Amino acid sequence: MRAMRIISGFAAAITAILFLSGTAAAEKTVTADIRTAQSAILVESSTGKALCGLNENSRMPIASVTKIMTLLIAAENIEDGRLSFSDIAVCSEHANSMDGSVIWLETGEEMEVGDLVKSIVIASANDACVMLAEHIAGSEEKFVGQMNAKAADLGMTNTHFVNCVGYDDKEHYSSARDIAVMAAELRKYNYFDEFLMTRLDSVRTGTTRETQLLNTNKLITSYNGITGLKTGTTDGAGCCFCATAKRGNMELTAVVLGCATDEDRFAAARSLLDYGFDNYERVTPRPDVAELTEIPVEGGVKSGADTRFTEIPEMILEKGSGSRIKYHYSRTESIAAPVAKGQVLGYVTMTVDDEVIGTGKIVAAESVAELDFLTCLGYIVRALFTF
């Protein structure tokens, strides 16, 4: 029996290492090591492309990683002008009752929203989190309703929140993939960037109740390109981490859930980020504009319609693949009038090593009206008067 357990454990470890290679396992050497995580994913933030995943859709407790959604709701309120860092919030008995990571807010205490946010981002303060939620929505319950509504809007199908801080509850869960989605959404705002990269700060500075804030993200001082984001730890969730990092024009999100120790989560996230930056690049497809030939129009006021490419989004490809992109063009030979501006007249298909990696559209750059009797008559009349 002991031998079987050893064999099973070894097989699980090998699976955890090799999952990163995907379909390219036979072609690439993969070094990312996430054996300590129960669930993980690596995503390119702007495109949402998953570069690898392990149980990435499994519903898991996520501890204070929950606060990414709390901060996202706050960011949207700031963006819409409904919330400001200078707003004054008041601590309720409920906020005062929070335990775990706290800044020891007292019932009735007033604090600026900016200090609350700083306490949440840097020190993951639960009492500050609830106080902010109540200030925004009137109650934590109503705020959680907004969190769940936003999760639905973002297509986070494996997420449900019960509280705004991340306390363990069987109905409070998310998945690695869903966390990557909300993290990418939060990274669209820069309101919290300074706090995300602050190692040590304080609130109530200069008073007898000054409270130090120590950032729980240890990668901010040791990882090249790190931009955030959020740790989380509870008995039920273990040690969790959502890390974001940017190098050049590519930003990655690494999520690891269910690690046994603090160091395990940082090592796993670092390994995921290294894997992404070492093996992938962001590429802008550039089809040949010389291929934008005029398409003949039958029965139109013009004999042909000029064409253009629709915008082709950037792609995340294995390093070196960008130089091997081939473009294949197909167009309609002719089209009957009328032709609408933007009407699809063809396609450009992109391949790398005979594998299709994307398609774009060739569309009409202008409208071409049908040449009917009244239009012809108008041409004749104008020609006579011009003559």
Side-chain angles (χ1 to χ4, degrees):
M1 180 65 75
R2 181 175 181 274
M4 288 299 295
R5 283 199 299 268
I6 293 173
I7 293 171
S8 298
F10 179 75
I14 293 299
T15 300
I17 296 175
L18 293 182
F19 88 97
L20 292 168
S21 60
T23 58
E27 304 172 14
K28 299 180 64 177
T29 300
V30 177
T31 58
D33 184 353
I34 45 74
R35 287 174 291 179
T36 57
Q38 296 180 32
S39 175
I41 197 168
L42 178 68
V43 174
E44 198 285 323
S45 303
S46 65
T47 63
K49 180 175 180 177
L51 305 181
C52 49
L54 173 69
N55 300 324
E56 66 269 26
N57 294 314
S58 297
R59 294 179 174 182
M60 307 275 291
I62 63 170
S64 285
V65 175
T66 297
K67 295 184 177 84
I68 294 175
M69 182 60 83
T70 302
L71 292 169
L72 175 57
I73 300 296
E76 291 182 337
N77 275 267
I78 295 172
E79 184 76 6
D80 293 341
R82 299 190 301 268
L83 185 68
S84 169
F85 275 12
S86 61
D87 289 351
I88 302 297
V90 181
C91 182
S92 68
E93 289 187 9
H94 178 52
N96 166 260
S97 71
M98 295 298 108
D99 57 12
S101 299
V102 295
I103 55 171
W104 297 281
L105 287 162
E106 296 179 347
T107 302
E109 180 178 356
E110 296 182 350
M111 184 171 284
E112 287 189 351
V113 164
D115 281 341
L116 292 176
V117 169
K118 179 167 66 173
S119 301
I120 296 166
V121 174
I122 298 176
S124 198
N126 295 328
D127 50 357
C129 193
V130 172
M131 186 169 163
L132 178 65
E134 292 176 335
H135 180 74
I136 292 174
S139 70
E140 183 184 11
E141 182 180 5
K142 290 180 181 178
F143 187 85
V144 170
Q146 294 180 17
M147 294 169 67
N148 284 318
K150 186 62 182 179
D153 288 344
L154 293 175
M156 297 166 57
T157 55
N158 288 306
T159 296
H160 184 261
F161 300 110
V162 173
N163 57 75
C164 67
V165 299
Y167 288 145
D168 288 335
D169 186 293
K170 65 179 181 180
E171 295 301 321
H172 188 101
Y173 53 80
S174 189
S175 67
R177 184 181 295 275
D178 282 0
I179 291 168
V181 169
M182 68 177 178
E185 192 70 15
L186 178 60
R187 290 293 300 144
K188 293 178 181 179
Y189 303 96
N190 61 5
Y191 301 118
F192 315 133
D193 286 2
E194 179 183 353
F195 302 147
L196 287 168
M197 298 304 296
T198 299
R199 181 62 175 161
L200 184 66
D201 206 331
S202 64
V203 290
R204 309 187 190 93
T205 308
T207 72
T208 57
R209 297 186 61 230
E210 180 173 338
T211 303
Q212 282 200 332
L213 309 173
L214 179 64
N215 202 315
T216 54
N217 179 1
K218 294 180 180 179
L219 293 192
I220 65 171
T221 58
S222 63
Y223 193 81
N224 176 26
I226 195 74
T227 57
L229 188 59
K230 192 71 195 75
T231 61
T233 307
T234 62
D235 291 341
C239 294
C240 307
F241 187 29
C242 174
T244 55
K246 186 174 184 179
R247 294 180 187 173
N249 64 350
M250 187 167 72
E251 184 164 23
L252 301 177
T253 301
V255 182
V256 290
L257 304 176
C259 293
T261 69
D262 191 47
E263 291 306 318
D264 283 346
R265 66 178 166 194
F266 293 121
R270 179 189 292 273
S271 191
L272 282 171
L273 293 172
D274 284 346
Y275 168 79
F277 287 123
D278 289 347
N279 292 282
Y280 291 90
E281 63 182 349
R282 187 168 171 171
V283 176
T284 302
R286 301 189 185 281
D288 188 356
V289 294
E291 295 288 341
L292 294 175
T293 56
E294 186 180 76
I295 302 296
V297 177
E298 300 173 359
V301 296
K302 290 183 60 178
S303 61
D306 291 332
T307 57
R308 65 175 177 84
F309 295 116
T310 55
E311 184 177 353
I312 301 174
E314 292 184 313
M315 300 178 177
I316 306 302
L317 302 175
E318 290 182 14
K319 280 191 174 178
S321 297
S323 61
R324 303 201 309 277
I325 297 178
K326 293 183 179 180
Y327 300 90
H328 311 271
Y329 306 92
S330 60
R331 315 165 194 78
T332 183
E333 293 184 359
S334 63
I335 189 167
V339 178
K341 183 177 181 180
Q343 185 172 335
V344 177
L345 302 177
Y347 296 90
V348 52
T349 302
M350 291 153 281
T351 63
V352 172
D353 302 333
D354 296 325
E355 179 184 352
V356 175
I357 60 170
T359 59
K361 296 177 181 178
I362 300 172
V363 300
E366 57 186 341
S367 296
V368 179
E370 184 178 6
L371 184 61
D372 55 17
F373 173 77
L374 290 178
T375 305
C376 289
L377 182 60
Y379 284 144
I380 293 172
V381 171
R382 282 196 297 272
L384 288 173
F385 278 102
T386 302
F387 180 79

